[in-house]
Amino acid sequence: MKRRIQIATLLFLLAAVCAPAFALHSYVAPRRTRRVRRAHLRRLRWNPVFRPSRESLLLQNHEIDRMDLPRIQDDAELEQLKASEDLVPIVAGPTLRFDPRLDPDRRYCRPWTREFLDDLSQAYYKEFRTSIQVNSAVRTVKIQKKLRRHNRNAAPAEGEIASSHLAGITVDIQRRGLSREQLKWVQDYMRPLKDQGLIEPEEERHQWVFHVMVSGRYTDWRESMMLAGEQPVPTASEAAELPLQ
């Protein structure tokens, strides 16, 4: 009997000593609260000028249809468009670089999209003495379907809101890592072009890129600027003066 009392007393003392440790170990509410607060702040910070929408995807596909461009089905069709120079290579240099994960076979776009990239990257380099990064360019329907299997935020490969990458008129430009000043500069650069219907940009939330569809009208606007003896750098006043295309 005496031994049972001793064992019971020992168990009671052990429980009393360990209880605070168990309590501290299980109390994690402040940590969860911090995580929730950080997630909430991230949502507040994401306030894009060019918000993705169904209407934007419809506009992009309308431009593809207006120009009667094909949605590139596979690598064989992609290679044919390269050979005919309907698709041209995007060339890296001091003002422009690639995400190294981008397949060299897909570092291509339409000529007017490359003109836009050349103009943007040169103006950006002049302002900040650093290059912009291209994360994605032309894609095929086959590649887009594969992308959709592990990224449900990717646009469809078919239909009225299909990805405009499939026509080679769109590029994704890196947003992650830009300072507030750099981000605002890019937004201010693109806004007049969007107002004129020359580009249709979106600031993607999950991929942290500027997704930019470039209209075939960009070349005409660019040439008119050069004929006037000006550099093709858009301004807000110009967007106000010119009618939408």
Side-chain angles (χ1 to χ4, degrees):
M1 181 69 179
K2 183 177 180 181
R3 181 174 179 78
R4 290 180 180 176
I5 293 173
Q6 289 174 338
I7 292 172
T9 302
L10 180 60
L11 290 173
F12 175 79
L13 290 173
L14 285 172
V17 170
C18 295
F22 285 128
L24 287 173
H25 178 72
S26 62
Y27 185 62
V28 295
R31 192 176 302 167
R32 287 198 298 270
T33 301
R34 286 196 296 271
R35 285 200 295 267
V36 169
R37 187 179 297 117
R38 285 197 293 267
H40 177 66
L41 288 174
R42 284 197 297 271
R43 287 195 294 270
L44 289 178
R45 283 198 294 267
W46 190 73
N47 185 27
V49 172
F50 310 117
R51 187 175 292 273
S53 67
R54 177 182 174 84
E55 289 71 24
S56 178
L57 290 173
L58 289 171
L59 280 172
Q60 294 172 49
N61 279 274
H62 175 74
E63 180 63 11
I64 293 170
D65 293 338
R66 184 189 72 81
M67 293 185 289
D68 197 26
L69 297 175
R71 275 77 172 179
I72 305 165
Q73 295 298 311
D74 51 32
D75 287 346
E77 189 173 345
L78 180 64
E79 292 305 318
Q80 288 176 1
L81 290 169
K82 292 178 187 177
S84 64
E85 297 186 348
D86 289 306
L87 290 173
V88 294
I90 303 169
V91 181
T95 67
L96 185 147
R97 65 184 186 275
F98 290 106
D99 183 330
R101 294 170 295 181
L102 180 59
D103 188 333
D105 286 341
R106 293 193 280 120
R107 298 177 183 183
Y108 285 77
C109 64
R110 297 285 175 176
W112 54 88
T113 303
R114 187 174 69 177
E115 290 173 349
F116 164 78
L117 272 178
D118 289 344
D119 295 339
L120 169 64
S121 64
Q122 289 172 19
Y124 185 85
Y125 186 84
K126 183 177 180 181
E127 183 72 19
F128 298 107
R129 310 309 296 177
T130 189
S131 57
I132 63 169
Q133 177 171 301
V134 174
N135 286 8
S136 185
V138 67
R139 295 179 198 153
T140 64
V141 169
K142 184 176 180 180
I143 290 168
Q144 191 70 19
K145 287 180 177 178
K146 182 178 179 181
L147 182 63
R148 285 271 291 177
R149 285 200 288 271
H150 62 82
N151 179 7
R152 301 309 298 174
N153 294 302
E158 298 168 334
E160 62 181 2
I161 57 169
S163 171
S164 57
H165 284 282
L166 305 178
I169 63 175
T170 298
V171 288
D172 288 347
I173 298 168
Q174 175 83 344
R175 265 174 64 228
R176 188 181 300 278
L178 298 187
S179 67
R180 288 186 179 182
E181 180 186 6
Q182 290 168 333
L183 182 63
K184 184 178 183 303
W185 185 94
V186 175
Q187 291 167 337
D188 289 345
Y189 183 97
M190 290 185 181
R191 197 190 322 255
L193 295 173
K194 174 179 169 58
D195 290 344
Q196 295 178 69
L198 299 174
I199 66 171
E200 180 56 32
E202 295 181 326
E203 294 177 61
E204 295 187 6
R205 182 174 189 177
H206 297 283
Q207 302 302 318
W208 284 89
V209 296
F210 287 102
H211 166 101
V212 189
M213 184 281 297
V214 185
S215 167
R217 301 183 179 102
Y218 186 85
T219 295
D220 292 338
W221 172 82
R222 188 176 193 260
E223 289 177 353
S224 68
M225 293 287 288
M226 290 181 170
L227 286 172
E230 300 177 18
Q231 291 297 313
V233 178
T235 64
S237 59
E238 178 185 76
E241 293 168 2
L242 294 178
L244 297 184
Q245 299 281 342

